[in-house]
Amino acid sequence: MLQLPFIRENKEAVLTGLHKRHFANAEATIDQVLTLDQQRRDTQRELDDTLAQSNAKAGQIGALMKAGDKAAADAAKAETAELKVRSKDLGETLRQIEIDLQAVLVTIPNIPHSSVPEGRSADDNEVVLENGEKPSLYEGAQPHWELIKKYDIIDFELGVKISGAGFPVYKGKGARIQRALINFFLDEALKAGYLEVQPPIVVNEDSGFGTGQLPDKEGQMYYVTEDKLYLIPTAEVPITNLYRDVILPEGQLPIKNVGYTPCFRREAGSWGAHVRGLNRLHQFDKVEIVRIEKPEKSYAALEEMSLHVQGLLQKLELPYRVLRLCGGDMGFTSALTYDMEVWSAAQQRWLEVSSVSNFETYQANRLKLRSKLEGKMQLMHTLNGSALALPRILASILENNQTPEGVRIPNVLVPYCGFEMID
RNA sequence: AGAGAGAUGGCAGAGUGGUCGAUUGCGUCGGUCUUGAAAACCGAAGACUGUAACAGGUCCGGGGGUUCGAAUCCCUCUCUCUCUGCCA
């Protein structure tokens, strides 16, 4: 959520940012916010004055009672009636204005960073760099959904039986390579100075709101009605929310956390072409890195996270590219996002495996995540990134490393897997 | 799941209607002392809102009520703890 004073003082910059996102009705929305804000402050002021008068009267009455002057006290009491009615009315008005204001504010996305390219869709994203060599496959090479059948390492039909489509069952070397990847990713993050955490994988509504999944992406999360809990779509939610309503001592910054969790996504309406096999699932595994930074350091941190993710891909010997998402393709809460995509040799296309974002104060404002720096209370910057999401990594390892004899495991994973080939 | 107890400032823990934003202890920060530290002593310190700055207003789990006045009384919700039950 954007900060009200920021909108008030930077109206033009906010509008420019919203236009970059192709946010509809930017002018009308911002005008509405500013009008409501003015109303809010006027009403607040009037209410405060009324309450101040009431407080003064109550004090007087107390003093009169103490002095034993009952008649004067009763007279003063009579005078408070009108104040009482007025403060009640004003209070209700104020509350309604605040509700209305909040309702508009939550519909406004974050303002893109100046480096975010113009554009409407994924086609307009900027390719920052490309790294690694795309392998040329032998005659008869297959996409990963054929390979997993051939080697019997993932069973989708079995998953359908016990849960439904998009819930695969990993078996044998398929299960073991999952475990290997998770451990590899966690170990690499630990080496980079992250603290490992294991958060809950269901969260309450406050947490969903804190990181911006609610109310924006309500329909994308599985919901446990009985207990009013959401299954997490990403570890970003529980890990970032560890710091909700927290005032961090300056010495604790920056916070660097890493966590492995399963992730659950309903993916309502997004099924269709390009979703075969591991390309899109309802449940998948991911190792997530989360950082909380002082504002002036957040962009350096973002670059560092990008390099960390790239390092993982290099160690896995996967050809990848880095995209800077354009205004129209960025997530609701993000100010700047890098997507990392790996090359899927058999599908002949790029697959997103990581998304690294700086949210600046957008999440922190909802979370009330602050720190007192140089005597001033201020919102911190939150960042996160996948490091990494497993399914598409596995897909590209299978496809890129396939040989007529089997699939070669990347060297760095062999100690984790305990085998060199899937055959 | 059943019964009971509770929710107060970073933590612990007082406060049952009128200068209570709140006693006290620990912790934190500053100072005195010390070569330095510890101890001791002295002092400082909540958050939000609001203002040009003051002032003012709000906050004792959330919401509602009683009252001129609520941390304190009433209702309600949520959560936590203890015991019993169940269980990886």
Side-chain angles (χ1 to χ4, degrees):
Chain A
M1 207 157 60
L2 297 177
Q3 295 173 80
L4 218 28
F6 179 82
I7 299 178
R8 213 185 288 149
E9 289 154 26
N10 303 277
K11 184 178 170 187
E12 289 314 312
V14 168
L15 286 174
T16 308
L18 292 179
H19 289 149
K20 204 179 211 177
R21 276 186 176 272
H22 303 282
F23 180 81
N25 301 323
E27 275 78 6
T29 305
I30 295 304
D31 282 344
Q32 195 185 358
V33 166
L34 294 177
T35 304
L36 283 167
D37 180 44
Q38 190 59 50
Q39 283 174 18
R40 185 192 117 254
R41 284 189 293 162
D42 292 346
T43 310
Q44 173 89 255
R45 162 144 250 180
E46 213 181 326
L47 173 63
D48 287 355
D49 287 346
T50 310
L51 288 172
Q53 288 177 47
S54 291
N55 289 341
K57 275 271 186 284
Q60 285 169 22
I61 292 167
L64 288 170
M65 298 285 262
K66 224 174 221 171
D69 192 346
K70 191 150 186 318
D74 284 342
K77 275 189 197 180
E79 292 171 35
T80 62
E82 192 199 336
L83 290 173
K84 216 177 160 185
V85 172
R86 208 161 110 215
S87 62
K88 194 171 182 186
D89 285 351
L90 286 167
E92 270 160 24
T93 308
L94 181 64
R95 203 170 55 154
Q96 190 54 52
I97 293 171
E98 280 173 343
I99 289 169
D100 294 346
L101 185 55
Q102 179 78 359
V104 185
L105 278 176
V106 297
T107 66
I108 302 174
N110 202 354
I111 300 304
H113 185 256
S114 60
S115 70
V116 169
E118 298 287 344
R120 272 186 187 277
S121 71
D123 299 332
D124 303 316
N125 293 334
E126 173 193 335
V127 179
V128 179
L129 64 87
E130 219 178 292
N131 201 330
E133 206 152 311
K134 296 179 184 172
S136 37
L137 299 181
Y138 65 98
E139 190 77 21
Q142 295 173 306
H144 70 269
W145 52 85
E146 301 295 346
L147 295 169
I148 62 179
K149 268 191 207 152
K150 179 171 166 190
Y151 299 117
D152 194 25
I153 54 171
I154 301 176
D155 193 328
F156 282 96
E157 285 72 27
L158 205 47
V160 168
K161 182 176 81 175
I162 60 168
S163 302
F167 293 93
V169 176
Y170 302 84
K171 299 193 294 188
K173 286 183 174 176
R176 289 168 68 190
I177 194 170
Q178 289 278 110
R179 186 154 52 86
L181 283 166
I182 291 163
N183 281 328
F184 168 63
F185 293 148
L186 284 172
D187 282 351
E188 289 295 310
L190 296 190
K191 281 188 216 160
Y194 289 84
L195 175 75
E196 184 175 351
V197 294
Q198 254 187 41
I201 59 174
V202 293
V203 296
N204 57 28
E205 190 180 344
D206 284 346
S207 298
F209 177 78
T211 34
Q213 279 70 29
L214 296 174
D216 183 49
K217 290 183 189 149
E218 183 113 46
Q220 289 300 335
M221 290 189 285
Y222 289 97
Y223 184 53
V224 184
T225 52
E226 185 76 9
D227 297 294
K228 300 194 168 101
L229 293 169
Y230 294 87
L231 274 65
I232 58 169
T234 159
E236 161 194 352
V237 180
I239 296 178
T240 312
N241 271 280
L242 296 175
Y243 305 95
R244 172 154 49 84
D245 292 320
V246 167
I247 300 172
L248 284 168
E250 184 171 2
Q252 282 182 23
L253 290 163
I255 300 278
K256 297 171 74 176
N257 286 170
V258 61
Y260 152 71
T261 67
C263 301
F264 303 89
R265 299 187 183 178
R266 295 186 62 227
E267 303 291 1
S270 60
W271 294 87
H274 298 317
V275 297
R276 293 194 69 179
L278 295 168
N279 289 349
R280 175 160 286 140
L281 301 170
H282 284 310
Q283 178 182 333
F284 63 96
D285 294 291
K286 180 160 63 65
V287 172
E288 181 82 2
I289 51 178
V290 172
R291 294 175 67 147
I292 296 163
E293 296 277 345
K294 293 184 190 176
E296 70 269 21
K297 300 221 169 134
S298 68
Y299 279 96
L302 183 69
E303 294 308 315
E304 199 183 300
M305 291 164 78
S306 164
L307 289 175
H308 175 76
V309 173
Q310 291 182 50
L312 299 177
L313 297 171
Q314 287 161 15
K315 285 177 186 170
L316 291 172
E317 306 162 46
L318 294 170
Y320 68 89
R321 65 177 189 177
V322 178
L323 303 178
R324 195 195 308 264
L325 296 194
C326 73
D329 198 35
M330 268 200 317
F332 189 77
T333 50
S334 174
L336 177 59
T337 296
Y338 291 121
D339 270 8
M340 282 65 175
E341 299 183 330
V342 296
W343 180 249
S344 165
Q347 299 180 70
Q348 288 287 301
R349 64 188 191 104
W350 295 100
L351 300 178
E352 181 193 335
V353 292
S354 176
S355 195
V356 184
S357 302
N358 186 354
F359 304 92
E360 298 192 3
T361 60
Y362 193 90
Q363 290 182 329
N365 192 30
R366 293 179 165 213
L367 295 161
K368 307 226 182 308
L369 164 51
R370 295 161 293 169
S371 187
K372 201 175 223 167
L373 304 180
E374 286 151 12
K376 242 180 70 188
M377 193 64 77
Q378 42 185 304
L379 295 171
M380 293 299 97
H381 284 192
T382 59
L383 305 95
N384 66 52
S386 344
L388 286 160
L390 300 222
R392 295 173 189 162
I393 290 287
L394 181 53
S396 35
I397 289 175
L398 292 172
E399 293 184 9
N400 295 12
N401 293 6
Q402 61 182 306
T403 68
E405 293 75 40
V407 177
R408 185 184 62 78
I409 299 297
N411 290 333
V412 73
L413 279 186
V414 172
Y416 286 94
C417 283
F419 53 86
E420 294 177 11
M421 292 286 281
I422 296 175
D423 46 20

